Structures are given as structure tokens and as C-alpha cells.
């Protein structure tokens, strides 16, 4: 098993891509520290990974709050005594054009996606420095392209991509690799919220979104989880400071 004996923190595991990463890492033998802001959602994922035989602990916290972010690493050390892998997956999806966005919108989206990711990393890194490890930031293809009325979210993901590179440089001396993943449209609860926001049926949304990907379909959370597993594992031992597109060719044209 590829993550045997490793302790992995994953944020935002209560749904979608985070849940799929938790399940995929459990299948590969990782000990898991599962974070989400929603306790019921986190408990549902916890049950699934325990059914797969994983050792796991919950860390219910809002990653944008310093005490919450810190409590995630504290939970890992208290339960497992080490942190080897950190997957920063939790995100806010405030999507507004600059003209429409209020200060509170910017504070929310940057507070979770950039500052929250930085805070969770800040408290995990000291525990990774002695033995090395891997950090995987779930960014988005939105971090490198323009999409209508998405400025707040896309700016946050663009910042996350640059922060990934800076973290990779700063942490390379400690053998901590830092990479990001840029998913395309992946079918999750976030997609359903977007469909509602746009006032479309699922079929209308799918028929618009799918052809934008060369593979002419939407992605599955497990397809992102497989990429996270690769970057977190020793198979990616010479890969740092890069972003891996998992977008079915959306940005490849
Ligand atoms: N779904 C897509 O099409 C898509 C595309 C590109 C990138 N992404 C990225 O993938 C990641 C996961 O997205 P998803 O679609 O699975 O989202 P989702 O909304 O389905 O799940 C996100 C989870 O994060 C949790 N969360 C939100 N804010 C939090 C906070 N402040 N602290 C702790 N937990 C919090 C939520 O409770 C939820 O369980 C995000 O980083 C997102 O930006 C998603």
C-alpha cells in the first residue's frame, strides 16, 4: 500500500473531492486526520474510512480561523505523533465579478482559500520538517484562466498556485515537496450549488460544461483523488513546485 504508515491531514473531507481523497488514502493505508467545518458531514466520511479499516481522527474546525487551523495539527500529533502529508482541499466558492463583489466577499474567499490554507500549513510544517513530507494544495483550473463572474474565486486560486511555488522553495531544504492540482469541472455538491445559482437544470449545465473539456465529460472526485495520491506518495519523489491539471483537457486547447 502506497501510504502505509503515513499520517495525512486532509481538509474539507465532508463532501466531494475531499471525501474522495480521504477514501483513496484510506485504501492505501494512511492514518487520517479528517477536517471539515461541518461535523455531520465529517462524521459521515469518518464512518466510510473506518469501514475501510483506516485509523482516523476528526478535527472539526473552520480553517480560516487561526485556532481552528492550529487544532488540526494538534489533533494529528495527539492521535498519531506525526504529520507526513497535508492535503489543503477545503475551499470557499464565492464567485463574483469585481464590480459586484463586496469587501466581505473578498475576505471570505481569500480568508478560506488563501489564508486558511496558509494557516493549516503553518501549523503542520514544523511537524514535517524533521523527516520531510508532501503538501498538496487543491487549486483549480480557475486559477489560470478567466471565467465570467468568477473574479473572486479565480483570484484566490491564482494566489494559491503562486503560494504553492513559494512554499515549495522555502520547504525544499527540509525535503517537503509542495505541489498543487488544478481540477476542471468535477461533479460535487459545489457543482449543484453552481447549477442552482445559474438557474439551470442539471442536464442544461452538463451540456454546456462537458464539451469545454476535450474529453467531453465532467470529472469524478476519485479522478482528482488519484492525482492527489500520486503527488502525496513517494512515486512523486522528484516532483515539487508544479501544478497538475486534472481537467480533461479544458485548458489544453
Ligand atoms: N468541484 C469542482 O468542479 C472543482 C473544480 C476545481 C477545483 N475544485 C476545488 O476542489 C476542492 C474541493 O471542492 P468540492 O467541489 O469537493 O467542494 P464541496 O463544496 O463539495 O466540498 C468542500 C468541503 O469543504 C468544507 N469546507 C468549506 N469551508 C471550510 C472551512 N472554512 N473549513 C473547513 N472545511 C470547510 C465543506 O464543508 C465541504 O465539506 C476545493 O478546493 C475546490 O476549490 C473543485
Amino acid at each position: 500500500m502506497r501510504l502505509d504508515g503515513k499520517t495525512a491531514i486532509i481538509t474539507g473531507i465532508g463532501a466531494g473531492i475531499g471525501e474522495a481523497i480521504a477514501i483513496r488514502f484510506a485504501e492505501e493505508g494512511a492514518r487520517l486526520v479528517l477536517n471539515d467545518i461541518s461535523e455531520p458531514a465529517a462524521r459521515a466520511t469518518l464512518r466510510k474510512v473506518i469501514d475501510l479499516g483506516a485509523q482516523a481522527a476528526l478535527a472539526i474546525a473552520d480553517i480560516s480561523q487561526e485556532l481552528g487551523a492550529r487544532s488540526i495539527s494538534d489533533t494529528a500529533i495527539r492521535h498519531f505523533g506525526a504529520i507526513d502529508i497535508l492535503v489543503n482541499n477545503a475551499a470557499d466558492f464565492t464567485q463574483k465579478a469585481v464590480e459586484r463583489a463586496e469587501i466581505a466577499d473578498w475576505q471570505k474567499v481569500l480568508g478560506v482559500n488563501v489564508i486558511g490554507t496558509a494557516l493549516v500549513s503553518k501549523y503542520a510544517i514544523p511537524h514535517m520538517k524533521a523527516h520531510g513530507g508532501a503538501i498538496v494544495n487543491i487549486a483549480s483550473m480557475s486559477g489560470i484562466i478567466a471565467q465570467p463572474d468568477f473574479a473572486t474565486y479565480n483570484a484566490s486560486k491564482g494566489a494559491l498556485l503562486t503560494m504553492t511555488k513559494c512554499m515549495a522553495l522555502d520547504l525544499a531544504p527540509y525535503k517537503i515537496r509542495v505541489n498543487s492540482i488544478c481540477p476542471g469541472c468535477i461533479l460535487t455538491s459545489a457543482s449543484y450549488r453552481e447549477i442552482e445559482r445559474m438557474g439551470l437544470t442539471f442536464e442544461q449545465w452538463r451540456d454546456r460544461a462537458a464539451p469545454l473539456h476535450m474529453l467531453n465529460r465532467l470529472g469524478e472526485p476519485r479522478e482528482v483523488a488519484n492525482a492527489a495520491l500520486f503527488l502525496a506518495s513517494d512515486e512523486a519523489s522528484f516532483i515539487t513546485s508544479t501544478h497538475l491539471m486534472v481537467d480533461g483537457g479544458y485548458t489544453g486547447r
Side-chain angles (χ1 to χ4, degrees):
M1 291 204 279
R2 283 185 270 180
L3 302 183
D4 219 8
K6 306 263 193 200
T7 298
I9 292 173
I10 310 165
T11 67
I13 51 71
I17 292 169
E19 178 188 322
I21 294 171
I23 289 170
R24 195 69 193 90
F25 280 24
E27 290 168 350
E28 294 292 337
R31 294 185 291 246
L32 298 169
V33 179
L34 302 177
N35 157 263
D36 205 279
I37 196 169
S38 159
E39 183 162 358
R43 287 206 176 279
T45 302
L46 177 70
R47 275 193 293 279
K48 289 179 191 169
V49 301
I50 286 176
D51 285 350
L52 289 166
Q55 291 181 59
L58 280 189
I60 305 302
D62 177 350
I63 62 159
S64 69
Q65 301 302 311
E66 182 147 24
L67 286 179
R70 182 179 191 154
S71 72
I72 302 171
S73 286
D74 290 348
T75 301
I77 298 305
R78 199 167 57 247
H79 282 264
F80 303 121
I83 301 169
D84 303 290
I85 296 164
L86 167 61
V87 182
N88 287 306
N89 166 78
D92 177 75
F93 289 85
T94 300
Q95 291 157 343
K96 289 188 181 174
V98 164
E99 219 182 349
R100 283 199 309 121
E102 306 292 344
I103 289 178
D105 296 317
W106 283 108
Q107 284 169 337
K108 181 95 196 301
V109 74
L110 296 173
V112 177
N113 300 2
V114 183
I115 299 172
T117 298
L119 289 174
V120 176
S121 303
K122 171 181 175 166
Y123 289 106
I125 287 165
H127 300 289
M128 302 173 85
K129 274 185 165 176
H131 49 83
I135 298 176
V136 180
N137 293 328
I138 307 299
S140 174
M141 66 173 181
S142 299
I144 57 171
I145 60 171
Q147 291 161 291
D149 286 328
F150 264 52
T152 45
Y153 178 78
N154 288 27
S156 77
K157 292 296 185 174
L160 185 54
L161 288 172
T162 306
M163 192 168 79
T164 300
K165 290 189 170 295
C166 294
M167 288 169 67
L169 182 64
D170 291 339
L171 298 176
Y174 305 98
K175 299 188 170 42
I176 301 172
R177 298 181 297 101
V178 190
N179 293 292
S180 49
I181 292 175
C182 295
C185 294
I186 311 295
L187 201 50
T188 68
S189 54
S191 323
Y192 286 100
R193 290 195 301 271
E194 190 186 332
I195 293 167
E196 204 180 316
R197 190 170 64 96
M198 295 172 81
L200 300 173
T201 64
F202 172 76
E203 287 74 21
Q204 286 169 330
W205 176 77
R206 181 199 56 203
D207 292 348
R208 273 190 204 184
L212 300 173
H213 303 72
M214 286 184 193
L215 296 177
N216 197 24
R217 66 173 175 85
L218 307 170
E220 297 290 334
R222 193 174 171 90
E223 295 179 300
V224 182
N226 284 332
L229 171 63
F230 168 64
L231 289 174
S233 76
D234 292 341
E235 287 168 18
S237 53
F238 201 49
I239 301 178
T240 197
S241 194
T242 195
H243 57 265
L244 177 54
M245 305 307 302
V246 184
D247 69 350
Y250 190 119
T251 56
R253 289 180 200 277

